[in-house]
Amino acid sequence: MEPLELVPLCKALMPVHETHAIEGTPEGSLLIGELRGATLEGERLNARQVGHAAADWLTVTPAGFATVDVRITFETEDGALLFMSYEGRSNLETGVACAAPKFKTGDPRYAWLTGIQAIAKGLWEPEKMCVTYPMVYEVR
Protein backbone atom coordinates (compact mmCIF):
# COMPACT_ATOMS: atom_id res chain seq x y z
CA MET A 1 0.00 0.00 0.00
CA GLU A 2 1.25 3.47 -0.88
CA PRO A 3 1.55 6.10 1.86
CA LEU A 4 -1.21 8.63 2.34
CA GLU A 5 -0.94 11.63 0.01
CA LEU A 6 -2.61 15.02 0.56
CA VAL A 7 -3.22 17.03 -2.62
CA PRO A 8 -4.26 20.70 -2.23
CA LEU A 9 -7.82 21.32 -3.41
CA CYS A 10 -8.88 24.80 -2.23
CA LYS A 11 -9.19 27.25 0.64
CA ALA A 12 -12.64 27.42 2.24
CA LEU A 13 -14.31 30.33 4.02
CA MET A 14 -17.54 29.58 5.89
CA PRO A 15 -19.08 32.82 7.28
CA VAL A 16 -21.87 32.33 9.82
CA HIS A 17 -24.73 34.76 9.28
CA GLU A 18 -27.13 33.88 12.07
CA THR A 19 -27.21 31.32 14.89
CA HIS A 20 -29.93 29.48 16.78
CA ALA A 21 -29.52 27.30 19.88
CA ILE A 22 -31.61 24.32 20.91
CA GLU A 23 -30.59 23.44 24.45
CA GLY A 24 -31.12 20.24 26.40
CA THR A 25 -31.56 17.61 23.69
CA PRO A 26 -30.63 14.04 24.68
CA GLU A 27 -27.40 14.37 22.63
CA GLY A 28 -26.56 17.81 24.07
CA SER A 29 -27.00 21.33 22.76
CA LEU A 30 -27.60 21.93 19.07
CA LEU A 31 -26.16 25.17 17.70
CA ILE A 32 -27.36 25.95 14.17
CA GLY A 33 -25.19 28.45 12.31
CA GLU A 34 -26.72 29.63 9.03
CA LEU A 35 -24.04 30.15 6.39
CA ARG A 36 -23.99 33.08 3.93
CA GLY A 37 -21.32 34.02 1.40
CA ALA A 38 -19.19 30.88 1.67
CA THR A 39 -16.42 30.43 -0.90
CA LEU A 40 -14.00 27.80 -2.17
CA GLU A 41 -10.82 29.24 -3.73
CA GLY A 42 -7.93 27.37 -5.29
CA GLU A 43 -6.12 26.26 -8.43
CA ARG A 44 -8.39 23.23 -8.85
CA LEU A 45 -11.70 24.51 -7.48
CA ASN A 46 -13.33 27.96 -7.31
CA ALA A 47 -16.94 28.34 -6.25
CA ARG A 48 -19.32 30.56 -4.30
CA GLN A 49 -22.32 29.66 -2.19
CA VAL A 50 -25.73 29.75 -3.86
CA GLY A 51 -29.10 29.67 -2.12
CA HIS A 52 -29.89 30.05 1.54
CA ALA A 53 -30.28 26.40 2.57
CA ALA A 54 -26.85 26.09 4.16
CA ALA A 55 -25.88 25.66 7.78
CA ASP A 56 -23.59 24.09 10.33
CA TRP A 57 -25.52 21.92 12.76
CA LEU A 58 -23.01 21.84 15.64
CA THR A 59 -23.81 19.45 18.48
CA VAL A 60 -22.11 20.04 21.82
CA THR A 61 -22.29 16.91 23.97
CA PRO A 62 -22.68 17.01 27.76
CA ALA A 63 -19.00 15.91 27.93
CA GLY A 64 -18.00 19.03 25.97
CA PHE A 65 -17.22 17.47 22.58
CA ALA A 66 -18.47 19.31 19.51
CA THR A 67 -19.47 17.57 16.28
CA VAL A 68 -19.73 19.52 13.05
CA ASP A 69 -22.36 18.76 10.38
CA VAL A 70 -22.33 21.18 7.41
CA ARG A 71 -24.36 21.10 4.18
CA ILE A 72 -24.05 23.73 1.47
CA THR A 73 -24.52 24.30 -2.28
CA PHE A 74 -21.92 26.05 -4.44
CA GLU A 75 -21.74 27.28 -8.01
CA THR A 76 -18.35 27.12 -9.71
CA GLU A 77 -16.96 30.03 -11.69
CA ASP A 78 -17.97 28.18 -14.89
CA GLY A 79 -21.56 27.49 -13.79
CA ALA A 80 -21.51 23.97 -12.32
CA LEU A 81 -23.58 23.27 -9.20
CA LEU A 82 -21.88 21.33 -6.40
CA PHE A 83 -23.25 20.05 -3.12
CA MET A 84 -20.71 19.80 -0.32
CA SER A 85 -21.31 18.19 3.04
CA TYR A 86 -18.90 17.52 5.83
CA GLU A 87 -18.75 16.20 9.33
CA GLY A 88 -16.00 16.53 11.85
CA ARG A 89 -14.98 17.64 15.32
CA SER A 90 -14.43 21.06 16.80
CA ASN A 91 -12.53 22.07 19.92
CA LEU A 92 -14.61 24.85 21.47
CA GLU A 93 -11.73 26.04 23.66
CA THR A 94 -9.23 26.54 20.83
CA GLY A 95 -11.63 27.08 17.90
CA VAL A 96 -9.88 24.38 15.85
CA ALA A 97 -12.19 22.39 13.57
CA CYS A 98 -11.30 19.21 11.66
CA ALA A 99 -13.57 18.21 8.78
CA ALA A 100 -14.01 15.53 6.12
CA PRO A 101 -15.80 17.10 3.10
CA LYS A 102 -17.53 15.09 0.36
CA PHE A 103 -18.99 16.44 -2.87
CA LYS A 104 -21.93 15.62 -5.16
CA THR A 105 -22.54 16.96 -8.66
CA GLY A 106 -24.12 15.90 -11.92
CA ASP A 107 -21.84 18.12 -13.99
CA PRO A 108 -19.36 15.95 -15.94
CA ARG A 109 -16.63 18.61 -15.66
CA TYR A 110 -16.56 18.06 -11.89
CA ALA A 111 -17.46 14.37 -11.72
CA TRP A 112 -13.97 13.73 -10.32
CA LEU A 113 -15.05 15.50 -7.10
CA THR A 114 -17.71 12.87 -6.38
CA GLY A 115 -15.05 10.18 -6.09
CA ILE A 116 -12.70 11.86 -3.65
CA GLN A 117 -12.49 12.18 0.12
CA ALA A 118 -11.25 15.51 1.35
CA ILE A 119 -9.96 16.61 4.75
CA ALA A 120 -9.38 20.02 6.30
CA LYS A 121 -8.29 21.69 9.50
CA GLY A 122 -9.61 25.16 10.21
CA LEU A 123 -10.15 27.83 12.80
CA TRP A 124 -13.31 29.47 14.13
CA GLU A 125 -12.78 33.22 14.39
CA PRO A 126 -15.54 34.60 16.65
CA GLU A 127 -14.80 38.25 15.86
CA LYS A 128 -15.34 37.53 12.14
CA MET A 129 -18.09 34.92 12.72
CA CYS A 130 -16.27 32.71 10.21
CA VAL A 131 -14.56 29.33 9.99
CA THR A 132 -11.49 29.50 7.75
CA TYR A 133 -9.98 26.33 6.35
CA PRO A 134 -6.60 27.52 4.97
CA MET A 135 -6.42 24.41 2.79
CA VAL A 136 -8.81 21.59 1.97
CA TYR A 137 -6.93 18.52 0.76
CA GLU A 138 -7.91 15.63 -1.47
CA VAL A 139 -6.79 12.39 0.18
CA ARG A 140 -5.09 9.97 -2.19
Side-chain angles (χ1 to χ4, degrees):
M1 177 181 284
E2 296 179 21
L4 186 69
E5 181 182 359
L6 301 178
V7 180
L9 183 60
C10 63
K11 173 182 180 176
L13 298 173
M14 300 291 171
V16 177
H17 175 71
E18 188 175 346
T19 60
H20 308 280
I22 301 172
E23 304 286 341
T25 77
E27 295 84 21
S29 297
L30 178 60
L31 307 174
I32 304 163
E34 295 181 24
L35 302 174
R36 298 279 193 280
T39 58
L40 304 174
E41 301 173 359
E43 289 184 25
R44 300 172 58 206
L45 182 60
N46 285 288
R48 61 177 178 78
Q49 178 183 345
V50 293
H52 299 289
D56 180 354
W57 289 267
L58 182 79
T59 301
V60 181
T61 68
F65 299 106
T67 58
V68 176
D69 179 2
V70 174
R71 297 169 209 164
I72 187 168
T73 306
F74 289 97
E75 183 176 8
T76 64
E77 60 190 1
D78 55 358
L81 289 178
L82 308 172
F83 175 75
M84 182 179 79
S85 62
Y86 63 86
E87 294 181 348
R89 296 279 187 202
S90 184
N91 182 320
L92 299 178
E93 291 181 20
T94 64
V96 172
C98 296
K102 295 184 290 186
F103 297 88
K104 294 180 184 179
T105 186
D107 192 301
R109 296 171 294 173
Y110 292 91
W112 60 273
L113 278 173
T114 64
I116 71 168
Q117 177 63 63
I119 60 169
K121 184 177 181 180
L123 184 64
W124 166 249
E125 300 172 88
E127 64 283 352
K128 294 182 181 178
M129 290 292 287
C130 185
V131 178
T132 301
Y133 294 96
M135 185 53 64
V136 178
Y137 295 93
E138 172 188 355
V139 178
R140 288 190 186 163

